């Protein structure tokens, strides 16, 4: 077992950090204040290979699963909103990759990013006003009409919603079947009937565009049904015959994507920690340098330890996902839960150390504190992660106990034969 990053990974980490320091950070405050999309940073990210197909290929060719989490942490160290603006199209691409046919993947995934200097965006639209965690209650409908599906409904809180070139929309073709009656549709740019609703004004990650997406008699060709008609028919049949469709496969997919979200959160925590160390290094109280004060040292040690432990969970889960090791204990969800909670706690704790200046908009801690909260709220809230972990753990331990009972029975038989006491 080797916990060290190899040379290639360390070089990539340094390259990401340089980009975050030299390109993301100088533009971050402006886009945070204006709540504007950092197009010029996204374009530079493309030129330097941090966005688009090149970034996807790097992740696909990475046998250890570290490149994705390294990039996520370092770019979010620069600015979480900007990093999401750079990476957000990946959600739509992942939705297409998860459900599409090889032809659909080959055509639509590049459309989520654009090629060369051309920047395109993707959006993945699931959430509705009454259905976020509770995905089975989606109300957006997809009605078959000849060679088309007609979409109607409103999606909320959609990253890149309304400004994307490709919207992947999850809608229900048979509301009575819950998730078993749902399907994903690709809606291309300028499709009539798709429009942006209210643009959200947010506490944090303000450089990332979040908006409602309104679908009003929005017509898409049957070919835009991800996975195709036969696959949908089989899914509907299964659901009608009472078989559950939100299977272990969906849970397993989420386990694989969650470490990236955890790494993103950790970028904020790491940024806040590094800044606080530097700030306190220049300060003293009653003639005593702050970094020499025991209460300060105790707190900084806790922050560093929590960040490190969350990072280990993130890297382990990412490695497991890449190497096909089943995350049957909810290791992916654990990594996202822990990193989100650590980041919120660390930014608050570091503000307490710094004092009232941390509340000033001049102080970067204020922004990191605002940016941190979302990691307990989106991509599965902290409560939903806990539910997933506890269910997966219960299942895993039930299996382990069975195995344990077998071993214990064998040990008992051997001990009886040898007339030895069995250890409790
Ligand atoms: C900035 C931002 C960007 C987003 N981007 C996207 C996007 O690109 N695409 C997209 O589809 N969605 C997106 N979302 C939506 C986000 O994923 C949802 O808001 C999230 O899943 C929570 O769903 P909800 O809003 O319906 O809250 P609810 O599910 O109603 O949750 C409300 C509260 O109840 C708790 N809760 C709910 N169910 C349970 C339960 N069974 N047990 C215990 N507690 C529970 C939750 O944890 C939460 O605390 C985004 C949201 C934000 C804020």
């Amino acid at each position: 077992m080797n916990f060290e990053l190899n040379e290639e990974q360390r070089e990539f980490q340094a390259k990401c950090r340089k980009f975050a320091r030299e390109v993301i950070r100088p533009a971050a405050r402006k886009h945070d204040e204006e709540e504007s999309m950092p197009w010029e940073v996204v374009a530079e990210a493309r030129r330097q290979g941090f966005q688009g197909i090149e970034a996807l290929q790097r992740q696909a060719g990475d046998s250890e699963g570290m490149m994705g989490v390294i990039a996520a942490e370092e770019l979010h160290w620069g600015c979480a909103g900007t990093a999401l603006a750079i990476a957000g199209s990946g959600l739509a691409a992942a939705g297409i990759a998860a459900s599409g046919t090889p032809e659909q993947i080959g055509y639509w995934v590049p459309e989520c990013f654009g090629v060369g200097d051309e920047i395109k965006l993707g959006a993945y639209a699931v959430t509705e006003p009454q259905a976020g965690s509770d995905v089975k209650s989606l109300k957006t409908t997809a009605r078959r009409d000849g060679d088309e599906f007609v979409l109607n409904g409103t999606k909320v809180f959609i990253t890149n919603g309304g400004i994307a070139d490709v919207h992947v929309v999850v809608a229900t073709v048979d509301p009575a079947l819950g998730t078993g009656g749902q399907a994903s549709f690709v809606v291309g740019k300028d499709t009539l009937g798709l429009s942006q609703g209210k643009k959200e004004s947010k506490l944090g990650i303000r450089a990332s565009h979040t908006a409602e997406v309104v679908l009003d008699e929005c017509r898409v060709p049957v070919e835009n049904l991800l996975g195709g008609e036969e696959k949908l028919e089989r899914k509907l049949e299964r659901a009608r015959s009472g078989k559950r469709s939100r299977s272990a496969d969906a849970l397993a997919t989420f386990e694989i994507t969650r470490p990236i979200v955890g790494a993103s959160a950790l970028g904020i925590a790491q940024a806040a920690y590094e800044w606080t160390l530097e700030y306190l290094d220049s300060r003293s109280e009653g003639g005593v340098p702050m970094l020499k004060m025991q209460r300060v040292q105790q707190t900084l040690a806790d922050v560093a330890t929590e960040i490190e432990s969350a990072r280990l969970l993130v890297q382990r889960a990412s490695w497991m996902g890449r190497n096909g090791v089943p995350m049957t204990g909810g290791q992916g969800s654990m990594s996202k839960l822990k990193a989100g909670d650590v980041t919120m706690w660390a930014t608050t704790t570091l503000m307490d150390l710094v004092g009232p200046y941390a509340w000033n908009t001049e102080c970067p801690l204020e922004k990191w504190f605002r940016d941190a909260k979302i990691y307990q709220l989106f991509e599965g809230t902290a409560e939903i992660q806990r539910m997933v972990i506890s269910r997966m753990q219960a299942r895993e331990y039930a299996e382990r106990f069975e195995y344990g009972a077998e071993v214990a029975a064998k040990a008992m038989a051997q001990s009886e034969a040898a007339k030895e006491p069995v250890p409790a």
Side-chain angles (χ1 to χ4, degrees), residues 384-399:
I384 296 301
Q385 307 296 328
R386 288 191 173 88
M387 263 174 54
V388 170
I389 294 165
S390 83
R391 280 184 196 160
M392 292 179 100
Q393 286 280 315
R395 204 176 306 147
E396 181 167 84
Y397 273 83
E399 280 162 20

Side-chain angles (χ1 to χ4, degrees), residues 23-43 75-76 78-89 119 121-122 158-161 163 196 199-211 268 367-368 370-372 374-375 378:
V23 183
I24 296 182
R25 281 219 174 154
R29 185 54 80 177
K30 169 181 173 314
H31 291 293
D32 179 62
E33 277 170 14
E34 293 174 357
E35 207 158 18
S36 54
M37 181 79 183
W39 289 107
E40 77 289 5
V41 183
V42 178
L75 300 198
H76 284 74
C79 165
T82 306
L84 185 55
I86 291 170
S89 300
I119 302 290
L121 298 178
I158 306 305
T159 302
N160 297 339
I163 61 168
Q196 181 185 309
K199 179 180 185 246
E200 303 296 345
S201 181
K202 309 193 296 295
L203 176 72
I205 57 164
R206 287 161 59 88
S208 165
H209 172 98
T210 316
I268 302 172
K367 177 174 179 297
W368 289 318
R370 288 189 285 108
D371 287 344
I374 192 64
Y375 294 91
F378 74 175

Side-chain angles (χ1 to χ4, degrees), residues 91 124-127 131-133 157-159 202 205 210 374 377-379 381 383-384 387:
L91 280 174
Y124 189 53
V126 184
T127 307
S133 312
F157 288 127
I158 306 305
T159 302
K202 309 193 296 295
I205 57 164
T210 316
I374 192 64
L377 297 175
F378 74 175
E379 293 282 325
T381 68
E383 290 77 15
I384 296 301
M387 263 174 54

